[in-house]
């Protein structure tokens, strides 16, 4: 769109694998709920595990893909040659 | 978010009488038409009612009610290959708390009662005892998530 023609760039979304970090905790929690007939008091451990997993994810934050930064550097080096 | 600067995070203010941020959150959600003093009055009367009815610390009842109504998983509709599936998804703790307060206030507005303070106090007491419409809403959400457990691998 607004970018020049000859630059090296990829779309980082094409390589980002969407992981679900807390998937197993959630599945454990849902299985426990089914057993306890949706009574929350019987599933305290699973609930705590899920909450700690979610809090960890919130703290660590998303890591940005830096491939375009390196591609830009490399293209500048190549131009310099 | 603007392009030039990132907005600062708003620090939650505590409530003037109970020194509690959860109470202040509840007051802000009760607020309508800028009538903050009315919102405070409603909440404090509700707390007094709770103390009269249950003889317990009203803060404790409030915290228990919010904790019991907080959902942990919900469903989100996703279109995959042409059909719409309900994919179960985890809820962050802040989001869950906001949802719980929203459901509690919605349920207390629907109730029949003399005024909002009474309705709110009865709903909070019921929620702390696993009764009431707000708890049903949370259970419904959990049931939906459990029913669609098979689609959890979609993202």
């Amino acid at each position: 769109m607004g970018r020049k023609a000859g630059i090296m760039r990829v779309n980082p979304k094409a390589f980002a694998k969407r992981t679900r970090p807390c998937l197993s905790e959630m599945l454990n929690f849902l299985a426990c709920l089914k057993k306890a007939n949706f009574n929350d008091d019987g599933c305290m451990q699973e609930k705590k595990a899920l909450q700690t997993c979610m809090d960890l994810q919130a703290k660590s934050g998303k890591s940005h893909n830096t491939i375009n930064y390196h591609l830009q550097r490399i293209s500048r080096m190549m131009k310099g040659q | 978010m603007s392009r030039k600067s990132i907005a600062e995070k708003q620090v939650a203010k505590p409530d003037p009488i109970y020194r509690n941020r959860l109470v202040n959150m509840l007051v802000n959600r009760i607020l309508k038409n800028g009538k903050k003093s009315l919102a405070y009055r409603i909440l404090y009367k509700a707390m007094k009612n709770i103390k009269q009815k249950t003889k317990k610390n009203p803060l404790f009842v409030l915290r228990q009610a919010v904790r019991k109504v907080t959902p942990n998983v919900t469903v989100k509709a996703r279109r995959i290959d042409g059909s719409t599936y309900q994919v179960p998804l985890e809820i962050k703790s802040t989001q869950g708390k906001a949802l719980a307060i929203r459901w509690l206030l919605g349920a207390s507005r629907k109730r029949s009662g003399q005024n909002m303070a009474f309705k709110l106090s009865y709903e909070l007491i019921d929620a702390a005892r696993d009764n009431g419409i707000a708890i049903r809403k949370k259970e419904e959400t959990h049931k939906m998530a459990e029913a669609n457990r098979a689609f959890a691998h979609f993202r």
Side-chain angles (χ1 to χ4, degrees):
Chain A
M1 267 168 56
R3 297 203 180 260
K4 299 188 189 149
I7 56 168
M8 283 205 288
R9 193 184 177 276
V10 294
N11 188 352
K13 290 187 208 165
F15 300 102
K17 279 204 188 141
R18 283 152 149 195
T19 53
R20 290 282 292 276
C22 300
L23 183 59
S24 57
E25 266 98 358
M26 183 176 74
L27 289 177
N28 281 340
F29 179 58
L30 289 176
C32 176
L33 271 188
K34 188 75 192 281
K35 259 200 286 180
N37 204 13
F38 296 100
N39 184 5
D40 255 21
D41 297 327
C43 293
M44 273 297 137
Q45 256 191 337
E46 276 85 358
K47 214 192 225 189
K48 269 215 175 95
L50 186 60
Q51 277 173 354
T52 43
C53 181
M54 290 303 289
D55 290 337
L56 268 176
Q57 294 311 311
K59 274 199 186 152
S60 66
K62 287 189 226 174
S63 55
H64 294 286
N65 198 343
T66 56
I67 186 166
N68 281 328
Y69 166 73
H70 293 295
L71 281 176
Q72 196 186 38
R73 256 186 346 118
I74 291 170
S75 66
R76 252 186 279 141
M77 288 198 303
M78 283 166 49
K79 260 194 231 166
Q81 284 173 354
Chain B
M1 263 172 62
S2 63
R3 282 184 202 158
K4 273 197 180 169
S5 56
I6 303 177
E8 294 174 357
K9 272 213 157 180
Q10 302 276 5
V11 182
K13 275 201 260 179
D15 167 72
I17 289 194
Y18 290 97
R19 297 249 155 267
N20 192 329
R21 287 188 287 188
L22 180 62
V23 173
N24 209 26
M25 233 169 119
L26 203 51
V27 166
N28 284 337
R29 304 295 192 273
I30 296 175
L31 174 71
K32 262 191 190 181
N33 295 343
K35 299 188 174 181
K36 192 74 169 269
S37 46
L38 179 58
Y40 272 125
R41 243 185 296 154
I42 289 174
L43 189 72
Y44 293 147
K45 268 197 200 152
M47 297 294 231
K48 208 163 75 165
N49 284 340
I50 293 177
K51 190 161 194 183
Q52 274 180 352
K53 285 266 164 185
T54 63
K55 317 272 184 275
K56 282 193 223 169
N57 183 8
L59 266 185
F60 174 73
V61 173
L62 173 66
R63 215 173 287 149
Q64 206 181 20
V66 170
R67 204 181 309 147
K68 291 211 169 178
V69 179
T70 314
N72 295 86
V73 285
T74 184
V75 285
K76 192 170 187 183
R78 293 216 164 260
R79 291 213 80 191
I80 300 172
D81 299 335
S83 34
T84 318
Y85 298 117
Q86 302 279 12
V87 175
L89 212 56
E90 318 86 357
I91 296 186
K92 297 192 196 121
S93 49
T94 39
Q95 275 183 329
K97 203 159 70 160
L99 266 177
I101 292 183
R102 207 180 303 160
W103 290 342
L104 279 167
L105 286 179
S108 46
R109 284 186 186 116
K110 275 194 197 154
R111 262 187 188 242
S112 62
Q114 299 166 312
N115 54 33
M116 183 66 183
F118 276 100
K119 295 196 246 186
L120 180 58
S121 56
Y122 288 143
E123 185 65 36
L124 286 174
I125 293 172
D126 274 350
R129 290 191 195 146
D130 286 323
N131 285 331
I133 300 181
I135 290 272
R136 295 292 149 257
K137 181 111 182 115
K138 178 204 95 162
E139 274 181 18
E140 237 178 70
T141 315
H142 277 182
K143 280 185 188 163
M144 283 279 281
E146 202 284 323
N148 290 303
R149 181 169 46 150
F151 305 129
H153 296 277
F154 290 160
R155 221 295 144 135

